[in-house]
Amino acid sequence: MRKIWVIARKEWAEVFKNRFVLFTVVFMPLMMTALPLIILYTMGTPGEMAGFSAADMPASFADLCEGLSGETCGQYFIVSQFMLLFMLMPLAIPATFASYSIVGEKTTRTLEPVLATPVTTLELLAGKAVAAALPAIGATWLSFSIFSLGVAILTEGSALLRQVTGPLWLFAIVVVGPLLAVAAVSIAIMVSSRANDPRVAEQISMLVILPLLGLFFAQISGLIFINETMILWMAIGVTVLDVGLLAFATQLFQREAILTRWK
Amino acid sequence: MIVAKGLTKRFGDVLAVEDLDMDVKSGEIFGFLGPNGAGKTTTIRMLSALISPTSGKAKVAGYEVGREDNEIRRNAGILTESPGLYDRLSAEKNLSFFAELHDVEDVAGQVERYLRLLGLWDRRGDVAATFSKGMRQKLAIARAMLHEPKVLFLDEPTAGLDPEMARLVREFIGELKDKGRTIFLCTHNLDEADRLCDRIAVVNTRLLALDTPEALRAKLYDRVVVIHLSAASPEYEKVVREQPFVRSVELKDNKLVVGLDDPERNNPELIRALVDAGADIQFVGELRRSLEEIYLRLVK
């Protein structure tokens, strides 16, 4: 456990000096937090949205507005379109981070001295995974907290805040977010065992966001609306996926293959 | 300290190391020479438990390769072909990271000790990217030494260094030997191997020769003395050729180049015969074959 932490600290010390990675970790959450808040601000207060009712909403969404006024339901409808962005963060940030931290070792030939120490492959991978996942999870949780605070200030009331910080989205951010981060790291590790250029690895790893992006557009176009059941199934599905991906990534990441096949 | 028996490594159809037998004694500097692609780096990687042999066995510091790899990693240090430093980290952080991975007890103390020993203490806070090639190599050597390994594998330690820096590194390797470390030295610098190594193995996928540099010279070449004369004459060459212990003779300018079995015993008689024939001898020296000549003869 201690060595995992040693590796993670080294990764942070090194990778955060890379301006591109730092930009991704800081700018992406900033943008994804600001976007829904700006939209909320431009929509105005519930008073300005008078006349809005749950009946104006798509039927599948109206169920999520139980107990809300028509105006608040309208605000929630708009804001919920962007809530999925908070689940994109734990996917996109580790993909960038892990691409640089693992493929970077290839290009700088730093991995051989590390493998010559009494560190196990599992410790090495776990250290890199922790280093990639924790900043993403931290940034996501921090962004969501800032967003919730923004909602509390902008809406001058607690009804929308209760919806945004209710069990649905709390579960999505606190539980599904980290599970997605693990999936992103596993995929980045797999890609790294084949790619030789950090930029190529990053571009391929970024494909991991496509399913969630699909979900985002499906919701925006009104095809589906994220509800508790969907999030629960998503958590189960991603957990199963994580187990498979981690096992496969560890299989691919063989010491000998790294030293003799990485060029 | 290092024993290999029938050590073989195959990558698919390519045979990188074939049936290698050797025994490196404790406290010696063991030179490992061979052309590019001869399997030197592969051998080092097998012996430092980075890759596993296809067949054969090896023990390093008493631990078996493939079965006690973590113990080998604790007892061996490796200077890889490329220094492999974290360019964005300072010299101090580079070393601290490896000291922690090696479970060194006093990380700060040990890092300071080696930074001072290799003359890098004043640059400890500078990132490795700002270091010259020589400084990077020194930092990589310090990294290999942090956990006080019993065996040190050095893969081309002076490659690409300027003569002054190469000399410093060689002196440091000599000091390590004086402290009782076993050093396995891979190098293309044959003069360096000749000066530093107690024994030398020449490989080209398989072992071609293994002995002390002197013994390799004796095995491959006659011992040759060069007699400088004030004036040359075919008569002197004839006198030399008539001596029963002479294996070869050649007259070059004013020099007689004579192959002998045992110069220490034969020289006085040879010189006497030449003086009796009227030769004016200016001086006599032994022609020492360079390790390069021995190496090239072996690998060809």
Side-chain angles (χ1 to χ4, degrees), chain A residues 64-142:
Chain A
L64 299 170
C65 289
E66 205 179 314
L68 295 181
S69 67
E71 297 91 325
T72 308
C73 181
Q75 280 184 318
Y76 181 42
F77 176 75
I78 305 293
V79 166
S80 66
Q81 307 299 318
F82 295 93
M83 291 297 281
L84 271 175
L85 292 178
F86 290 104
M87 292 168 82
L88 268 182
M89 282 184 222
L91 276 176
I93 296 172
T96 308
F97 203 104
S99 303
Y100 274 84
S101 88
I102 298 167
V103 185
E105 299 257 18
K106 277 190 194 183
T107 52
T108 53
R109 295 179 180 275
T110 46
L111 206 54
E112 189 169 356
V114 175
L115 294 176
T117 67
V119 65
T120 64
T121 308
L122 196 65
E123 284 170 332
L124 180 65
L125 280 185
K128 287 189 174 290
V130 165
L134 281 190
I137 295 168
T140 305
W141 289 356
L142 182 68

Side-chain angles (χ1 to χ4, degrees), chain B:
Chain B
M1 188 57 73
I2 302 172
V3 183
K5 281 200 182 348
L7 198 65
T8 301
K9 183 68 189 179
R10 190 180 274 282
F11 297 107
D13 294 334
V14 180
L15 191 61
V17 177
E18 185 185 359
D19 204 22
L20 185 66
D21 287 343
M22 62 181 175
D23 185 352
V24 180
K25 294 174 192 124
S26 178
E28 80 173 330
I29 301 185
F30 187 85
F32 202 62
L33 314 180
N36 292 331
K40 300 187 300 295
T41 300
T42 301
T43 303
I44 282 193
R45 283 174 170 176
M46 282 193 281
L47 294 175
S48 54
L50 282 166
I51 60 175
S52 53
T54 308
S55 63
K57 288 194 169 185
K59 274 192 170 185
V60 176
Y63 298 103
E64 194 173 332
V65 171
R67 289 181 61 181
E68 296 165 297
D69 287 351
N70 255 2
E71 287 309 314
I72 292 174
R73 290 179 196 129
R74 278 182 223 286
N75 286 283
I78 181 168
L79 171 72
T80 48
E81 215 172 346
S82 150
L85 300 169
Y86 292 107
D87 279 347
R88 291 193 178 95
L89 299 188
S90 68
E92 200 170 17
K93 281 196 172 149
N94 261 287
L95 294 191
S96 302
F97 172 60
F98 282 92
E100 288 187 81
L101 290 185
H102 272 295
D103 301 311
V104 169
E105 278 184 20
D106 178 15
V107 171
Q110 195 70 343
V111 167
E112 180 177 346
R113 181 171 170 237
Y114 276 100
L115 283 174
R116 284 192 189 279
L117 203 64
L118 285 153
L120 296 171
W121 179 245
D122 292 340
R123 298 283 306 270
R124 64 188 178 278
D126 295 351
V127 294
T130 62
F131 281 17
S132 68
K133 200 165 182 176
M135 290 167 77
R136 293 172 71 81
Q137 195 73 339
K138 287 206 282 183
L139 191 58
I141 292 173
R143 181 184 61 199
M145 296 295 306
L146 279 170
H147 57 299
E148 305 292 353
K150 289 179 188 162
V151 183
L152 196 58
F153 294 99
L154 303 177
D155 199 351
E156 302 283 347
T158 56
L161 301 187
D162 65 50
E164 195 185 349
M165 197 58 80
R167 188 176 161 186
L168 279 174
V169 170
R170 273 197 292 273
E171 281 172 1
F172 185 69
I173 294 170
E175 285 167 24
L176 293 175
K177 176 189 159 58
D178 295 341
K179 287 174 188 162
R181 307 245 190 236
T182 305
I183 295 161
F184 192 94
L185 176 69
C186 249
T187 180
H188 280 301
N189 186 332
L190 300 173
D191 179 51
E192 175 177 285
D194 203 4
R195 277 194 269 171
L196 283 173
C197 298
D198 298 301
R199 288 193 303 150
I200 284 167
V202 181
V203 293
N204 195 357
T205 308
R206 57 190 179 76
L207 186 67
L208 300 176
L210 194 168
D211 221 319
T212 62
E214 284 311 317
L216 286 177
R217 278 189 186 93
K219 272 182 199 169
L220 293 173
Y221 293 100
D222 293 335
R223 291 183 70 187
V224 173
V225 291
V226 183
I227 302 164
H228 292 251
L229 307 165
S230 55
S233 159
E235 177 65 20
Y236 303 146
E237 188 183 350
K238 191 171 162 241
V239 167
V240 172
R241 203 180 297 281
E242 282 168 358
Q243 305 304 313
F245 46 77
V246 170
R247 297 175 69 94
S248 63
V249 62
E250 199 182 342
L251 184 65
K252 282 183 183 170
D253 302 325
N254 282 357
K255 289 177 282 185
L256 280 166
V257 182
V258 187
L260 298 169
D261 279 335
D262 187 356
E264 284 80 4
R265 235 181 73 192
N266 306 145
N267 271 347
E269 207 174 326
L270 181 66
I271 304 302
R272 228 178 347 258
L274 278 169
V275 171
D276 288 347
D280 277 342
I281 297 172
Q282 291 174 321
F283 52 89
V284 180
E286 184 171 5
L287 179 70
R288 201 167 178 268
R289 297 284 180 180
S290 70
L291 189 60
E292 187 180 14
E293 287 174 276
I294 297 168
Y295 169 84
L296 289 173
R297 190 159 164 180
L298 280 168
V299 296
K300 279 176 182 168

